[in-house]
Amino acid sequence: MPFPLIRPLRLATSSFVLLLCALAHAQNAPPPASANTPAAHPAGSAPVDGTAPAPAGTAGTVAAAPTAADAALLSRDARRIYELSRDKLVQIRTLLRNANTQASIGSGFFVSADGLIVTNFHVASQLALEPERYRGVYVTMEGQEGEVELLAFDVQHDLAVLRAKERKAAAPVLGFRPAAEALAQGERIYSLGNPLDIGFAVTEGTYNGLVKRSFYPRIFFGGALNPGMSGGPAVDDAGRVLGVNVAKRLDGEQVSFLIPAEFAQALVQRAANAEPITQAAHAEMTRQLMEHQQLLTDRFLKAPFREQRHGNYRLPVPDDALARCWGSGRDPNFPGLNLERTQCQADSDVVAGDFSTGAVRLSYEAYNAPTLGAARFARVFSKSFENERLQTRGNRHQTAAECTERFVDPGTVPLRAVVCLSAYRKLTGLYNMTVLAASVNQPTQGVLGRLDVQGIAFDNGMKLASHYLKAFRWEAAP
């Protein structure tokens, strides 16, 4: 399940409403509702990283309810953090150059006296990819406003560094928490930003470890984030930055995510002596996405597939460390036909401007219909294969898919295989790839498999397709 971003607040209200209603990136083909199993988890179940919540009391005892004095202490801490941080926070606005109207907003914070500001890449992406149409400004809590210029961005970790132009006074800055001071489970965190363009705010929450099975490290923040807080700082009890606000789950409550501060620190160092980005930076974004897809390919090729049994078939599913998988049983709408489904998804998608890429998804359908007859089964099985959706038409980001179909026998089970590629128009050398596979060795049994990989280079796509098809197996009964 990808992490829905706390997107910079756009002015178009309808788009904002759609964003809140979506469970995942609207740009991606989301898994069906059944795949969003976490949404059905009852309140109080284990957090997404699988670690147990920090105990509020001693083991085996019931924690005492917070007292009025405890509540007052928490409120004083949040107030203290707010007062410590307020002059270091800014709102980041992107404006249409021609009309000078606001296009989006996010949050940021000063990290150097000469005016360097950290925020998310998805807050500043319009400045990186369409600088001829958009310009950026920062606004302090006191309403002071100034121009910003983009110095560097990190697509993989969704970070950007801006500089406040023509600022004469030294900027007050937030310091980073040293990496050697590891966070403790249950440690209190304070997140700051400008939610929904209502005004600067602080929210309290807890540290719950790093999210497991996230392709890049993310801190699981047990607190509330809202659109407009993207790029704001999350600080510890001493007011030191430990993370950057980035995303939240829309199917849960107070399940939010932070980018660890170490990645922001590394980008600040890169940006310190960088020249401003004044031309569309698709080439740099492509370079970073190429690194991402290479890392993705290496991890998937290095980790052997696990086998999932469906009768005599053995289907390839990703290692548990790479992806989450969900399954469902027989569908009552198919009488006389046993059908099992599996869906897997890696949390590997990254923001590429106003869309996301980099995700990997696998899905299977296993059919068994011993009483249906070979001809009727063939019609049902073929119809399911034909119903698989492909990008048959191009759009402003990608070309229409071009497909190749072959019957292949990798030595373990004969397959009908289709490989489709759709090229990114402005990200030269990157494609979205879909691999469809259907077994053709049994008259009343069969499996359909689908692999979708976004933002992959051609050579690596072919390696993953071959790796995937060779992993299908059939074991005849002894």
Side-chain angles (χ1 to χ4, degrees):
M1 180 79 182
F3 304 146
L5 298 171
I6 46 169
R7 294 278 186 185
L9 186 61
R10 309 285 182 181
L11 291 183
T13 304
S14 58
S15 299
F16 174 59
V17 172
L18 287 174
L19 173 64
L20 289 181
C21 292
L23 286 179
H25 293 292
Q27 299 84 351
N28 293 332
S34 60
N36 297 326
T37 304
H41 284 178
S45 60
V48 293
D49 65 356
T51 56
T58 52
T61 64
V62 177
T67 65
D70 292 334
L73 180 61
L74 295 180
S75 297
R76 284 199 299 272
D77 285 341
R79 181 177 179 180
R80 176 175 54 80
I81 293 297
Y82 182 76
E83 292 299 326
L84 279 173
S85 309
R86 55 176 295 162
D87 59 341
K88 292 93 172 175
L89 306 176
V90 293
Q91 186 184 52
I92 303 298
R93 298 175 180 172
T94 56
L95 308 174
L96 280 168
R97 287 188 180 276
N98 291 338
N100 206 35
T101 53
Q102 197 165 275
S104 69
I105 59 170
S107 298
F109 56 99
F110 285 112
V111 293
S112 74
D114 62 349
L116 294 187
I117 298 170
V118 169
T119 187
N120 289 139
F121 173 67
H122 73 262
V123 171
S125 63
Q126 290 169 316
L127 307 180
L129 303 178
E130 299 179 275
E132 73 286 357
R133 294 187 63 200
Y134 298 96
R135 65 184 181 90
V137 299
Y138 72 94
V139 183
T140 68
M141 194 172 292
E142 289 73 29
Q144 297 174 334
E145 181 176 322
E147 293 275 337
V148 294
E149 54 191 7
L150 176 64
L151 298 179
F153 59 85
D154 178 346
V155 173
Q156 294 168 343
H157 298 103
D158 199 354
L159 290 166
V161 174
L162 313 172
R163 185 194 299 280
K165 297 171 65 176
E166 300 176 354
R167 184 181 173 91
K168 297 178 180 178
V173 302
L174 284 174
F176 288 97
R177 175 174 171 134
E181 293 186 30
L183 288 157
Q185 188 87 19
E187 186 169 334
R188 190 149 291 275
I189 291 176
Y190 305 87
S191 174
L192 299 120
N194 193 331
L196 305 172
D197 200 21
I198 294 173
F200 289 94
V202 56
T203 61
E204 294 180 69
T206 53
Y207 172 76
N208 291 288
L210 295 178
V211 179
K212 289 187 176 179
R213 290 181 267 186
S214 176
F215 199 73
Y216 295 111
R218 290 282 188 274
I219 293 172
F220 172 22
F221 170 50
L225 295 179
N226 283 291
M229 296 180 74
S230 289
V235 303
D236 62 12
D237 194 55
R240 300 172 299 181
V241 177
L242 57 87
V244 179
N245 306 333
V246 70
K248 68 173 183 178
R249 286 286 290 263
L250 299 181
D251 56 350
E253 293 182 0
Q254 300 197 53
V255 179
S256 304
F257 306 98
L258 312 171
I259 303 163
E262 62 190 270
F263 299 108
Q265 286 181 280
L267 188 63
V268 169
Q269 291 180 357
R270 279 173 43 197
N273 298 313
E275 294 295 323
I277 296 172
T278 57
Q279 303 294 322
H282 290 97
E284 172 60 15
M285 189 166 73
T286 301
R287 186 191 67 77
Q288 294 187 22
L289 290 174
M290 281 290 183
E291 291 181 355
H292 170 76
Q293 64 89 33
Q294 188 62 54
L295 183 61
L296 189 77
T297 302
D298 291 345
R299 286 193 189 175
F300 269 83
L301 294 180
K302 184 178 180 180
F305 283 114
R306 293 185 295 117
E307 286 190 344
Q308 186 172 77
R309 294 172 179 265
H310 290 280
N312 295 91
Y313 290 103
R314 306 290 182 265
L315 304 183
V317 296
D319 184 86
D320 194 53
L322 287 175
R324 290 181 173 83
C325 296
W326 297 269
S328 58
R330 181 174 180 275
D331 191 328
N333 293 324
F334 290 85
L337 182 67
N338 292 322
L339 173 60
E340 294 177 333
R341 291 189 173 97
T342 299
Q343 294 179 315
C344 303
Q345 182 166 330
D347 285 337
S348 57
D349 52 331
V350 294
V351 177
D354 57 355
F355 66 99
S356 296
T357 186
V360 178
R361 300 187 183 92
L362 299 93
S363 61
Y364 299 101
E365 292 181 349
Y367 296 80
N368 185 13
T371 63
L372 203 58
R376 292 181 62 193
F377 177 79
R379 285 196 295 272
V380 172
F381 196 52
S382 296
K383 193 67 177 177
S384 294
F385 194 83
E386 293 170 2
N387 285 341
E388 291 294 329
R389 293 183 178 180
L390 297 171
Q391 185 169 328
T392 56
R393 302 180 63 180
N395 56 39
R396 69 189 183 96
H397 295 305
Q398 297 165 247
T399 64
E402 294 187 12
C403 301
T404 300
E405 179 175 4
R406 291 181 183 174
F407 287 88
V408 299
D409 187 351
T412 52
V413 59
L415 299 168
R416 176 187 177 189
V418 176
V419 178
C420 300
L421 291 171
S422 171
Y424 285 87
R425 296 186 189 277
K426 295 185 178 180
L427 304 175
T428 305
L430 290 174
Y431 303 83
N432 282 355
M433 180 183 74
T434 297
V435 180
L436 301 177
S439 64
V440 293
N441 65 322
Q442 294 296 311
T444 57
Q445 297 179 61
V447 290
L448 298 178
R450 176 168 181 149
L451 168 66
D452 289 287
V453 186
Q454 296 178 330
I456 191 79
F458 182 83
D459 289 348
N460 282 337
M462 295 303 101
K463 290 178 184 176
L464 287 176
S466 176
H467 181 60
Y468 175 68
L469 292 174
K470 288 179 179 177
F472 283 77
R473 291 202 301 128
W474 165 267
E475 289 183 350

